[in-house]
Amino acid sequence: MSSSAASRPGPITDVAPLSLCAREPHVPADRLVAEMVPPPRFDAVRFGTYIPDPNQPSQTEAVRVLEGFAAGLDGSPAGEPGRRRLFGFGKAPKKAPSGPRGVYLDGGYGVGKTHLLASLWHATPAEPALKAFGTFVELTNLVGALGFQQTVKTLSGHRLLCIDEFELDDPGDTVLVSTLLGKLVEAGVALAATSNTLPGKLGEGRFAAADFLREIQGLSAHFRALRIDGEDYRHRGLPEAPPPYSDDVVTRVAHATEGASLDAFPDLLDHLARVHPSRYGALTDGVGAVCLTGVRPVPDQSTALRLVVLADRLYDREVPVLASGMPFDQLFSEEMLKGGYRKKYFRAISRLTALARDAKRLADTV
């Protein structure tokens, strides 16, 4: 069922809303691997559908470079041709050539980096089973689910690994990802990533990056960095996000919209603490709209980071979010917005604002 179909309002019949807090999804490891494809929002994107800003030549240059990068990747896997090496079966891969083995898209929020990364995935001449696409969090979750060695075997037969929202937030992630990508590059896997931070600057402002400079520099050596300038397209020429609604409106929309969920925001935050972030996508399966009452600032950083992951999954699935209480730009404290995770929080605000704008049509029907 498409997101638009699932969220179609039903003004005549009252439907019982779902509750995210009532869901305890179980996600087997093989689903984590199978779902490493571009999210539904980016199913149809291609290089031809990316519209560069004429005032930002770096956007046009990025398309040119990525088209060439995709064309340079043949369709055979790193190991045995024509066979998915999901758990490392087949012949040993050949060593990759020296020098950068990937491209790294650096730019601000909403300049189309994920659009371009998904377009690269679609344009690479390999069957979908030989290409992986996921966020940085999803990649680390995969390692947690399969174990490091199994993850290396699982991905080493791939032709391309795309990592969206690449950020290093602690020393453990730095060493883990540096080692993982090094193994994959040795196996012949091409890499592509997006971030708001140049690869040589990853980790700055979050932990003692100087202590892990060797690992960070090792990561940087795998990529050719492409800077993409521009303003956030989600706010380019578009109206401001609608203000929060009353509890009554939010509740009525939830009861009038097929597939909608209805939860009190504080209860949802508590529930997220009991569900592993790798399962947040499954938490939203079949949900056509998320209705929240009593939105208020998040109380601490751990809660805030969990909310960031949920916002990413909702945005990927184009699920509109209708809320009462505080506006989304007041979710995070000033201290949080100035701290090491500020880029994550600004991304969450940007995405939730876009989803709140999408939800306005639902409120207009009740």
Side-chain angles (χ1 to χ4, degrees):
M1 179 183 298
S2 69
S3 174
S4 60
S7 59
R8 184 178 299 116
I12 298 177
T13 59
D14 189 315
V15 295
L18 307 169
S19 172
L20 298 181
C21 294
R23 295 183 161 197
E24 300 274 355
H26 170 70
V27 183
D30 57 353
R31 173 174 168 175
L32 294 177
V33 177
E35 290 187 342
M36 292 191 73
V37 297
R41 178 179 286 267
F42 298 99
D43 275 345
V45 301
R46 299 293 187 273
F47 289 128
T49 64
Y50 181 79
I51 304 175
D53 185 335
N55 297 317
Q56 303 292 347
S58 62
Q59 296 184 8
T60 301
E61 174 65 7
V63 173
R64 185 190 69 79
V65 171
L66 290 173
E67 286 180 328
F69 185 75
L73 299 175
D74 61 43
S76 62
E80 185 176 350
R83 178 179 178 183
R84 184 175 186 180
R85 292 165 24 95
L86 180 61
F87 292 102
F89 302 120
K91 299 177 181 178
K94 297 179 180 179
K95 292 289 185 179
S98 60
R101 182 61 180 161
V103 289
Y104 191 99
L105 309 182
D106 173 69
Y109 310 100
V111 297
K113 300 187 302 297
T114 303
H115 182 136
L116 290 172
L117 189 68
S119 298
L120 173 64
W121 188 93
H122 288 298
T124 296
E127 60 181 275
L130 298 177
K131 302 181 287 187
F133 185 108
T135 65
F136 179 81
V137 171
E138 289 170 324
L139 180 62
T140 56
N141 286 340
L142 184 68
V143 177
L146 298 182
F148 181 82
Q149 295 298 333
Q150 195 64 60
T151 302
V152 173
K153 291 180 180 179
T154 298
L155 297 179
S156 63
H158 283 58
R159 196 72 194 94
L160 173 70
L161 171 62
C162 294
I163 310 169
D164 202 15
E165 300 153 12
F166 197 119
E167 290 190 25
L168 300 180
D169 299 319
D170 61 60
D173 280 348
T174 303
V175 176
L176 173 70
V177 174
S178 176
T179 306
L180 175 63
L181 296 188
K183 294 287 187 183
L184 295 180
V185 168
E186 289 177 3
V189 181
L191 307 174
T194 72
S195 182
N196 304 305
T197 306
L198 286 169
K201 302 293 185 180
L202 285 166
E204 286 190 357
R206 298 170 183 80
F207 58 87
D211 295 340
F212 293 87
L213 185 60
R214 180 177 175 181
E215 283 78 10
I216 293 171
Q217 288 176 336
L219 281 172
S220 180
H222 296 317
F223 297 101
R224 170 188 175 181
L226 293 177
R227 175 69 189 179
I228 304 177
D229 301 303
E231 60 178 309
D232 189 336
Y233 79 91
R234 289 186 287 268
H235 301 294
R236 201 184 298 163
L238 296 175
E240 293 296 320
Y245 294 90
S246 67
D247 286 353
D248 180 63
V249 169
V250 172
T251 301
R252 284 192 287 127
V253 167
H255 281 268
T257 305
E258 182 184 354
S261 65
L262 176 62
D263 294 280
F265 185 69
D267 293 344
L268 178 60
L269 295 184
D270 290 342
H271 186 61
L272 293 180
R274 297 188 290 271
V275 178
H276 192 274
S278 66
R279 293 184 277 166
Y280 287 3
L283 189 69
T284 65
D285 280 352
V287 175
V290 168
C291 297
L292 300 171
T293 58
V295 170
R296 64 188 186 189
V298 295
D300 56 71
Q301 193 145 263
S302 295
T303 303
L305 290 172
R306 288 191 289 268
L307 183 60
V308 167
V309 177
L310 179 64
D312 287 341
R313 301 291 80 76
L314 292 173
Y315 183 78
D316 289 344
R317 291 159 173 77
E318 301 181 286
V319 179
V321 179
L322 194 78
S324 67
M326 306 285 286
F328 287 132
D329 60 3
Q330 296 181 29
L331 280 172
F332 309 108
S333 68
E334 184 176 350
E335 181 181 2
M336 289 179 181
L337 294 178
K338 290 181 178 179
Y341 298 103
R342 60 189 178 275
K343 292 179 180 180
K344 290 179 180 289
Y345 299 146
F346 280 116
R347 184 180 76 236
I349 290 171
S350 177
R351 291 185 165 186
L352 288 171
T353 295
L355 297 177
R357 186 182 299 120
D358 293 342
K360 184 177 184 299
R361 61 183 172 79
L362 301 177
D364 290 342
T365 66
V366 300

